[in-house]
């Protein structure tokens, strides 16, 4: 039983079951008709075969189901003493008509799927241009990225990330734009562009944050906001600036784990003007063998079928210490997140792992 359930839960197993559904439906009609006798008149229900085939398969699959329905209708009509009467004629015409309509539906669906695939490819190209891949190495840092979009059809979303060198060390940003879809991607790309310019020139992390706030105030006019955490990795330490974003998770080389929470909460970028003061920089030691995981709220707000949130603080330490390659361990964490949800994520989820190599 457990093996059967596992097969049904797999994509290939589900597809196989769906492809046999039209023929199982026609077999059920034949069995019920033989058991009930001529009085019930189940012959017209053979049209369920090509109708189901249009939903579960392609054009050839639908034609095959239609032919099987036509072949079955003749001996079944003989059994029910309907040969030569109007019922068998209407049934044959109905099977042909339903099969033709189902073939047309299959063709239209295939064209829609091709169009959707083209849109997906274009969206992926846009995503790669706007949010470039992060470097795997930066000095003694090793970096890994995971990005899972809630917009499955286009594989894009409003989470943002970037990493670059600044005057004081390696600087990075991880953030989340209010909203989803192409509008959110446009805002994310704008913030990333402003960060790249400011992070390269501004002397302090606070000045970078102020540039981002000014940029959003000019561009968005208070219509949207962006939660974000800025970081600057220096020698043996890391400085952080948090704008209403989930706090990064620190995993030290001696197996300690803690959230790097700010001293006080600050509104997101775009709404900082509503607060009396902006965020205050804070930090901690960041030595060889330490790791810091930056993530968006799509990770910690992911729920399983029972409504339980993903336990990041519980799962991350074990998975992120499972190997020497940061990308491999982060991929393990991503797979564990998707397995916890048991289906597509309801929100974009980005994770950026920074590991300081041991000497």
């Amino acid at each position: 039983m457990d093996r059967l359930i596992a097969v049904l839960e797999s994509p290939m197993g589900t597809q196989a079951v769906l492809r046999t559904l039209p023929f199982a439906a026609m077999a059920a009609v034949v069995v019920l008709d033989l058991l009930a006798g001529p009085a019930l008149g189940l012959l017209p229900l053979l049209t369920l075969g090509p109708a189901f085939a249009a939903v579960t398969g392609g054009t050839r699959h639908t034609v095959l189901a239609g032919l099987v329905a036509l072949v079955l209708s003749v001996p079944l009509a003989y059994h029910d003493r309907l040969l030569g009467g109007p019922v068998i004629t209407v049934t044959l015409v109905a099977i042909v008509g339903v099969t033709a309509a189902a073939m047309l539906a299959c063709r239209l669906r295939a064209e829609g799927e091709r169009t959707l695939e083209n849109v997906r490819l274009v969206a992926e190209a846009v995503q790669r241009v706007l949010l470039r891949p992060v470097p795997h190495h930066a000095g003694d840092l090793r970096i890994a990225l995971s990005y899972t979009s809630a917009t499955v059809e286009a594989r894009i979303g409003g989470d943002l990330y970037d990493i670059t060198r600044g005057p004081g060390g390696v600087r990075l940003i991880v953030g989340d734009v209010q909203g989803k879809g192409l509008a959110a991607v446009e805002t994310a790309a704008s913030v990333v562009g402003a960060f790249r310019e400011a992070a390269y020139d501004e002397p302090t992390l606070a000045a970078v944050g102020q540039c981002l706030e000014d940029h959003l105030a000019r561009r968005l006019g208070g219509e949207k906001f962006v939660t974000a955490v800025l970081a600057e990795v220096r020698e043996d330490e890391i400085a952080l600036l948090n704008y209403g974003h989930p706090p990064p998770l620190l995993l030290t080389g001696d197996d300690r784990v803690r959230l790097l929470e700010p001293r006080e909460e600050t509104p997101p970028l775009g709404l900082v003007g509503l607060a009396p003061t902006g965020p205050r920089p804070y930090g901690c030691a960041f030595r060889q063998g330490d790791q810091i995981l930056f993530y968006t709220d799509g990770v910690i707000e992911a729920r399983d079928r029972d409504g339980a949130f993903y336990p990041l603080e519980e799962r991350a330490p074990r998975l992120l210490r499972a190997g020497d390659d940061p990308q491999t361990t982060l991929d393990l964490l991503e797979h564990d997140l998707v397995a916890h949800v048991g289906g597509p994520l309801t929100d974009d989820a980005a994770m950026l792992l920074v590991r300081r190599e041991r000497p």
Side-chain angles (χ1 to χ4, degrees):
M1 179 61 70
D2 292 340
R3 186 173 182 179
L4 176 60
I5 293 175
V7 170
L8 291 177
E9 288 181 347
S10 67
M12 294 298 295
T14 302
Q15 186 178 6
V17 171
L18 291 176
R19 290 184 66 84
T20 60
L21 180 60
F23 305 100
M26 290 186 289
V29 170
V30 171
V31 171
L32 290 175
D33 189 88
L34 293 176
L35 294 176
L40 196 55
L42 299 178
L43 188 62
L45 292 182
L46 289 174
T47 55
L48 291 175
F52 284 161
V55 178
T56 60
T59 304
R60 293 183 180 179
H61 191 62
T62 302
V63 172
L64 178 60
L67 292 175
V68 172
L70 289 173
V71 171
L72 290 176
S73 63
V74 176
L76 204 60
Y78 176 78
H79 174 267
D80 293 341
R81 303 183 185 92
L82 298 175
L83 282 178
V87 175
I88 183 59
T89 303
V90 171
T91 300
L92 294 176
V93 171
I95 292 174
V96 172
V98 170
T99 302
M103 291 171 59
L104 177 61
C106 287
R107 182 173 180 178
L108 294 176
R109 186 186 64 191
E111 292 178 355
E113 290 175 349
R114 285 193 295 269
T115 301
L116 181 60
E117 182 62 25
N118 291 335
V119 171
R120 180 182 293 133
L121 293 175
V122 171
E124 288 179 343
V126 171
Q127 186 86 345
R128 286 193 296 268
V129 171
L130 298 181
L131 296 177
R132 62 190 178 188
V134 299
H136 295 297
H137 290 83
D140 63 346
L141 303 178
R142 298 184 67 185
I143 304 161
L145 173 70
S146 167
Y147 189 99
T148 306
S149 173
T151 311
V152 179
E153 293 81 1
R155 300 180 188 172
I156 58 177
D159 287 2
L160 60 96
Y161 53 84
D162 197 37
I163 184 167
T164 187
R165 287 191 177 275
V170 175
R171 290 174 171 174
L172 63 89
I173 181 173
V174 174
D176 185 3
V177 178
Q178 173 201 14
K180 299 177 183 178
L182 292 176
V185 171
E186 183 181 3
T187 301
S190 177
V191 173
V192 169
F195 170 78
R196 290 170 184 169
E197 181 178 352
Y200 188 78
D201 295 326
E202 296 297 332
T204 65
L205 202 60
V208 175
Q210 186 60 52
C211 288
L212 295 181
E213 177 63 19
D214 295 341
H215 172 79
L216 283 175
R218 292 192 303 268
R219 187 179 184 278
L220 300 180
E223 295 180 358
K224 288 191 176 183
F225 60 84
V226 180
T227 68
V229 58
L230 309 181
E232 183 176 74
V233 182
R234 305 164 184 164
E235 185 176 355
D236 291 336
E237 67 174 351
I238 184 169
L240 300 167
L241 201 61
N242 196 312
Y243 291 88
H245 198 76
L249 185 66
L250 173 66
L251 292 80
T252 65
D254 55 0
D255 295 335
R256 289 179 297 164
V257 180
R258 72 182 178 99
L259 289 173
L260 300 178
E261 296 181 304
R263 299 181 184 91
E264 56 187 21
E265 294 188 4
T266 304
L269 289 167
L271 301 178
V272 176
L274 302 177
T277 60
R280 297 180 180 179
Y282 64 104
C284 67
F286 189 45
R287 302 184 178 90
Q288 281 79 10
D290 293 350
Q291 303 181 77
I292 294 182
L293 178 67
F294 299 86
Y295 54 92
T296 58
D297 58 7
V299 176
I300 56 176
E301 293 179 0
R303 299 172 181 259
D304 62 12
R305 294 173 182 174
D306 296 327
F309 291 110
Y310 181 69
L312 180 66
E313 291 185 67
E314 174 186 332
R315 303 282 184 87
R318 174 177 56 85
L319 295 171
L320 295 181
R321 295 187 179 117
D324 295 330
D325 181 30
Q327 188 61 58
T328 300
T329 58
L330 189 60
D331 289 342
L332 290 175
L333 184 60
E334 177 188 346
H335 294 158
D336 189 64
L337 172 66
V338 175
H340 173 82
V341 175
L345 301 183
T346 58
D347 193 9
D348 308 320
M351 294 184 286
L352 184 68
L353 178 64
V354 180
R355 178 187 295 179
R356 178 153 259 162
E357 290 186 313
R358 296 180 183 274

